[in-house]
Amino acid sequence: MSLLLACVLCTALMVADLFARAARLRWFLRGAGATPSLGAICVAILFSDAAAAVTPMRLGGEPARWLGLRSAGVPGGAAVAVLAVEMVSYMAVVAFTGAATAWLMGAEWWAAVGPRLAARAGEGVPWAAAVVAASAAVWVCARRGRAGRAPAAAQAPAVAALRGAIGWPLAASVPLTVASIAARLAVLPVLAQALPAPPPLGVLVLGSFALTYGQLFFPTPGGAGAVELLASAGTAGELGGTAGPVFVAWRAITTGLPVVAGFALAVHSYGGAAVRNALRGQRPADLPQVDAVELA
């Protein structure tokens, strides 16, 4: 398979992931009594992905999604309740998927990568300690910066919306969550098929999981630098000397495309001032409504 064809297939996987996440979020919103269009939700998700990619530990993602939903007419309290349920349910499925993947493919991954990681374990101790310290510092600073700055609408009780989101949408969202995770994890294995001798599937899938979800714990925006080091330690050696183009393509597809599309659509839909305020963590003055909603 050529690298160009692999990139086209992976772009299609990212589109499938976007629509799966948009559909599950729309179900949560319907359970809470709001019905924004699928297009408005897609814009909010892309804006969230873009903001998460350029902020440490992806801290800008959820505020950006909240602003996107508010611009679609979803009440602030309902948006907060829905996003909380959606995020917790998503991470629960991610944790279960990670555990299942490690159980099924861990032995194959360790047989291929383990000896090299064990040999280099001592080299990574200072770097790991620096990452932990920097992550804690970023988290504390972010929490202090947002203290007392939460929108009043988000502080209002949203018990009805919370109950609605926890009902049938929670169960119905699980298959879509699995589809979303599978699409994201498939990007690296598909790109690796462009190599003359692709490594074992277990190495690729577990490596893809670590690269994709490891970004949540790194203090650098999008895990830049840290993710590449993780890749070189856990996967790149198995990909051989031609790994460079594969990881460049992986970065471009999983990070570059969402950033470009997310900010372009957000500026077009919400305006440049609203986007700047979102990245600064400020409350929007008046976001334009890009889609009407009906409240039950």
Side-chain angles (χ1 to χ4, degrees), residues 19 23 28 31 65-66 73 98 104 109 123 126 132 161 164 169 172 178 182 187 202 214 228 256 276 293-294:
F19 279 104
F28 281 117
R65 253 200 324 173
W66 182 84
L104 293 172
W109 178 84
E123 302 174 10
V132 171
V178 173
V187 172
E228 281 73 15
R276 287 192 298 271
V293 298
E294 299 173 1

Side-chain angles (χ1 to χ4, degrees), residues 8 26 98 117 152 248 273:
V8 171
R26 191 183 190 189
L117 285 180
V248 169

Side-chain angles (χ1 to χ4, degrees), residues 46-47 49-54 252-265:
L46 283 172
F47 181 32
D49 289 347
V54 300
I253 292 169
T254 60
T255 303
L257 286 179
V259 167
V260 173
F263 283 130
L265 289 173

Side-chain angles (χ1 to χ4, degrees), residues 198-227:
L201 182 62
V203 173
L204 291 171
V205 173
L206 277 179
S208 181
F209 188 91
L211 295 177
T212 300
Y213 295 104
Q215 299 178 49
L216 296 171
F217 306 102
F218 292 127
T220 54
V227 167

Side-chain angles (χ1 to χ4, degrees), residues 88-104 174 177-178 181 185 206 209 213:
V88 170
S89 65
Y90 185 86
M91 294 310 299
V93 178
V94 167
F96 178 82
T97 303
T101 303
W103 181 66
L104 293 172
V174 174
T177 307
V178 173
I181 295 171
L185 294 187
L206 277 179
F209 188 91
Y213 295 104

Side-chain angles (χ1 to χ4, degrees), residues 147-174:
R149 244 176 22 189
Q155 297 172 351
V159 177
L162 187 62
R163 289 176 178 172
I166 292 177
W168 64 267
L170 190 59
S173 71
V174 174

